[in-house]
């Protein structure tokens, strides 16, 4: 096991200003916390966080990251809490530990392979700070190195698969090439032990056998460089079991063919040297057609630069050569997506690449660590949230999505019949905004139908479209019934007979397809009822007004609908409160059948009502349903002219608080001559409730005037 001083020395070797004292404390704290625990290998548990910290020192990470690595399992597996870590090591470290703890909950489920990419995104979104991801990757690397100690074969398989599908691509994305290669080979070994054995045996045999050849080719190439006065290094490139296996699978070719080509890399000083070296090689050896690629003049979208070529080289062997400068080499090794682009196929998401390139640039060029951290806050996927179904399926939603969006994302039937939700096992309101990693269980009921209210709390197009479609159908039914009621009631008042067939001859005149369409349009107020009624029964022309007032009265006598806050409506019709006057209980009101909206309730003094004066058939006599209203509140806006005084606003709010009235918005709209004009949105039960408040406000000496604004 690495000693305490060794770890500290390693960190200090690249960061002389590292917080040595804190590193020492973290070492001791983690050792104490894990004291009685053992790894499956039989080693003390503490060896694990220590190794993880050690891996991260190879990437020269700051002491907060190293400390967090030492502590990364304490919150999850020992009595230590977030608060303890925060108190002892500060918020930065505590947040890193918390991030890693959260990530440990992300587990891929057997059925979820096809969602691997979403899981990768989930991990990225959860690691708001890239250092969390780096710790997690180092953690995973050490767990993979010790995976053979794990006794349960299913667990080994699961972890290997998870590594391959989530962590390998992530390591690749953030440019930790060596770490990625190692993860990949361990995972390969676990998932396909026979293939791994056979390939690595043949590889070591080959390299044993071919070592001399490789050396000879390197010597030849070096001589070529020297003769042309180019300074550079030539190395042979190791082949890894997994990449060979992949090529065999993908191109369907045998081992020998994959391994036939020897691979070399030449690193020179300048870009000019790159091209000169290329020229030397192409002059001396026959080119293999189709192998030459200039990624220097045309870098890959991820920033990778190099010259690639293939020739029949020394010893008459087919060789491939990469030529690059030291700087290009570092980018390719550390750097990111270099291989991502061509190995992963066409996952082109420009935004991410730019972010990755920026990150890399910062890693290379940022001398100020704070500056670096500021820039590495995960910019990716900030507009998405990732949630699970109880079965572990991952559902990706836009930020701000609610359980109703989730329900519709699962299936429109689930959405339509949704009645409630459990989030992480607890019942929550349907308007709850979902967070990353939430487990969401939608509760449904057979006879439930979508509510119009939902349209305002969903963000996905799918949920919106479904709700709208449902409401349209539902409204149509109601409008048809309303239209029918209008005819029935009016005909009854006249003592004349009426049937739906009477409408048939007028369908084309009103551009209606069916009688139902016609009734719906009349119910909705798109076609004036009186006009049509007179067409059917010309004799009714006189005295119609009288009949209509009777019609209104019959409506008023309707049994109060138990669920609606307003009585006198036609059963089942959608109800809205007008935005022009914002009625509250206690106000005198009237209902207007509104195109596309059902019935809109206005205050009787609302100026908008004038617009409907020519259409008496759209007016409904309605009143407040006090039984339903008891606990409901409605929004009201008031305008207050307030003295500009340091305590004025506090006094105002304390008056409002006394009446237990919620304030949803407060806005200073005007300020002059020692007075401020304030708009206040509050929720009240009824007009009495409001009046009491207005009086109390008027009594305050800092308030010069208060009045209700009906239109907002
Ligand atoms: Mn761990």
């Amino acid at each position: 096991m690495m000693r305490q001083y060794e770890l500290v020395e390693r960190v200090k070797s690249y960061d002389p200003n590292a917080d040595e004292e804190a590193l020492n404390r973290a070492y001791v704290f983690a050792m104490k916390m894990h004291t009685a625990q053992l790894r499956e290998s039989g080693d003390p548990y503490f060896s694990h966080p220590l190794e993880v910290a050690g891996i991260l020192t190879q990437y020269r990470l700051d002491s907060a990251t190293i400390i967090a690595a030492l502590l990364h399992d304490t919150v999850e597996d020992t009595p230590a809490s977030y608060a303890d870590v925060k108190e002892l090591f500060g918020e930065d470290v505590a947040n890193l530990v918390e991030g890693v703890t959260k990530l440990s909950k992300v587990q891929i489920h057997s059925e979820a392979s096809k969602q691997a990419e979403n899981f990768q995104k989930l991990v990225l979104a959860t690691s708001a700070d890239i250092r969390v991801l780096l710790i997690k990757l180092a953690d995973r690397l050490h767990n993979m190195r010790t995976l053979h100690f794990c006794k349960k074969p299913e667990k080994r398989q699961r972890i290997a698969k998870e590594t391959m599908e989530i962590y390998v691509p992530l390591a690749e994305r953030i440019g930790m090439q060596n770490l990625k290669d190692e993860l990949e080979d361990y995972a390969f070994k676990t998932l396909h032990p026979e293939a791994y054995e056979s390939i690595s045996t043949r590889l070591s045999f080959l390299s044993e056998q071919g070592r001399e050849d490789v050396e000879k080719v390197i010597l030849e190439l070096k001589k070529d460089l020297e003769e042309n006065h180019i300074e550079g290094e030539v190395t042979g490139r190791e082949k890894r079991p997994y990449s060979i296996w992949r090529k065999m699978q993908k191109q369907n070719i045998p081992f020998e063919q994959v391994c036939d080509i020897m691979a070399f890399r030449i690193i020179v000083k300048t870009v000019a040297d790159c091209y000169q070296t290329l020229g030397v090689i192409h002059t001396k050896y026959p080119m293999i057609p189709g192998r030459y690629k200039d990624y220097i003049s045309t870098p890959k979208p991820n920033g990778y630069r190099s010259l690639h070529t293939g020739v029949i080289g020394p010893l008459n062997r087919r060789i491939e050569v990469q030529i690059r400068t030291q700087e290009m080499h570092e980018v390719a090794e550390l750097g990111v997506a270099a291989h991502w682009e061509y190995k992963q196929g066409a996952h082109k998401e420009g935004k991410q690449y730019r972010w990755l390139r920026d990150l890399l640039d910062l890693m290379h060029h940022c001398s100020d660590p704070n500056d670096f951290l500021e820039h590495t806050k995960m910019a990716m996927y900030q507009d998405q949230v990732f949630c699970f179904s109880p079965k572990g399926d991952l559902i990706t939603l836009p930020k701000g999505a609610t359980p109703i969006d989730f329900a519709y994302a699962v299936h429109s039937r689930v959405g339509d019949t949704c009645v409630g939700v459990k989030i992480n096992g607890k019942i929550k309101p349907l308007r709850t905004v979902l967070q990353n990693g939430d487990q969401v269980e939608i509760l449904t009921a057979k006879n439930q139908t979508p509510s119009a209210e939902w349209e305002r709390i969903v963000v996905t197009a799918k949920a919106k479209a479904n709700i709208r479609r449902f409401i349209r159908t539902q409204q149509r039914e109601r409008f048809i019934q309303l239209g029918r009621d209008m005819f029935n009631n009016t005909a009854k008042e006249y003592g004349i007979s009426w049937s739906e067939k009477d409408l048939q001859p007028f369908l084309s005149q009103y551009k209606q397809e069916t009688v139902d369409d016609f009734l719906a349009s009349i119910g909705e107020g798109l076609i004036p009822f009186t006009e049509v009624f007179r067409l059917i029964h010309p004799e009714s022309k006189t005295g119609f007004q009288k009949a209509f007032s009777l019609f209104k009265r019959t409506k008023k006598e309707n049994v109060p609908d138990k669920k609606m806050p307003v009585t006198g409506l036609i059963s089942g019709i959608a109800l809205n409160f007008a935005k022009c006057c914002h009625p509250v209980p206690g106000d005198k009101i009237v209902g207007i059948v509104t195109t596309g909206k059902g019935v809109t309730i206005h205050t009787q003094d609302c100026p908008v009502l004038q617009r409907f004066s020519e259409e008496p058939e759209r007016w409904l006599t309605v009143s407040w349903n006090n039984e339903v209203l008891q606990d409901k509140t409605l929004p009201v806006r008031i305008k207050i002219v307030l003295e500009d005084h340091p305590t004025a606003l506090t006094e105002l709010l304390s008056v409002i608080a006394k009446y237990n009235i919620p304030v949803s918005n407060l806005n200073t709209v005007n300020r002059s001559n020692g007075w401020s004009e304030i708009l206040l949105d509050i929720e009240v039960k009824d007009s009495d409730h409001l009046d009491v408040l207005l009086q109390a406000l008027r009594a305050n000496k800092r308030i010069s005037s208060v009045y209700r604004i009906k239109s907002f």
Side-chain angles (χ1 to χ4, degrees), residues 39 45 48-49 52 69 72-73 77 100 136 139-140 142-143:
R39 298 274 289 174
Y45 193 91
H48 165 66
V52 173
H72 81 268
D73 278 332
D77 295 337
V100 179
K136 184 65 201 171
D139 172 55
R140 179 52 59 122
H142 184 245
N143 285 334

Side-chain angles (χ1 to χ4, degrees), residues 162-173 180 183-184:
E162 203 174 86
T163 300
M164 201 62 117
E165 291 178 353
I166 302 176
Y167 293 102
V168 163
L170 283 174
E172 191 162 27
R173 278 193 195 195
K180 175 228 144 204
L183 283 179
E184 204 168 53

Side-chain angles (χ1 to χ4, degrees), residues 390-583:
K391 278 190 203 151
D393 291 330
L394 192 97
I395 308 265
T396 310
L397 295 164
K399 201 146 222 174
T402 59
I404 299 167
D405 290 300
F406 185 94
Y408 277 107
V410 173
H411 196 282
S412 43
R413 202 182 51 243
V414 177
D416 284 347
T417 57
C418 164
V419 285
V421 65
K422 276 187 187 175
I423 299 175
N424 303 322
K426 287 191 191 119
I427 297 271
K428 294 277 170 150
L430 282 174
R431 59 167 190 281
T432 310
V433 172
L434 297 173
Q435 305 296 327
N436 268 321
D438 276 349
Q439 197 207 51
V440 184
E441 183 184 349
I442 298 295
L443 311 172
T444 58
K446 240 185 197 165
N447 297 319
Q448 180 63 24
T449 53
S451 136
E453 300 290 301
W454 290 0
E455 214 189 312
R456 272 183 277 147
I457 57 174
V458 299
V459 299
T460 54
K462 185 176 180 192
K464 276 208 171 113
N466 272 292
I467 295 167
R468 269 189 209 140
R469 189 190 321 132
F470 186 87
I471 287 168
R472 280 214 65 79
T473 341
Q474 201 183 32
Q475 273 184 345
R476 186 179 139 85
E477 294 301 316
R478 290 172 178 174
F479 283 129
I480 291 172
Q481 192 52 47
L482 176 58
R484 201 177 281 134
D485 284 354
M486 286 169 149
F487 281 106
N488 285 338
N489 290 325
T490 312
K492 207 166 133 199
E493 286 302 325
Y494 272 96
I496 46 184
S497 64
W498 173 80
S499 93
E500 290 184 15
K501 270 184 245 146
D502 299 345
L503 291 173
Q504 203 75 41
F506 304 103
L507 285 183
S508 60
Q509 182 183 337
Y510 284 94
K511 299 194 174 74
Q512 301 293 308
E513 298 261 321
T514 66
V515 170
D516 274 357
D517 288 344
F518 205 179
L519 286 171
S521 300
I522 291 167
E524 196 176 347
L526 299 173
I527 297 171
F529 165 74
T530 42
E531 196 179 301
V532 181
F533 195 83
R534 284 169 192 165
L535 277 174
I536 304 173
H537 291 288
E539 76 279 10
S540 72
K541 210 158 188 170
T542 52
F544 184 82
Q545 212 51 46
K546 177 177 156 268
F548 191 74
S549 66
L550 287 172
F551 164 67
K552 284 211 294 188
R553 208 184 62 219
T554 54
K555 287 299 133 206
K556 196 181 175 184
E557 283 157 4
N558 269 359
V559 217
D561 186 331
K562 286 210 174 58
K563 275 186 263 163
M564 301 299 263
V566 171
T567 57
L569 303 167
I570 289 84
S571 166
I573 196 105
L575 171 71
N576 307 281
F577 292 100
K579 299 273 188 278
C580 43
C581 52
H582 284 271

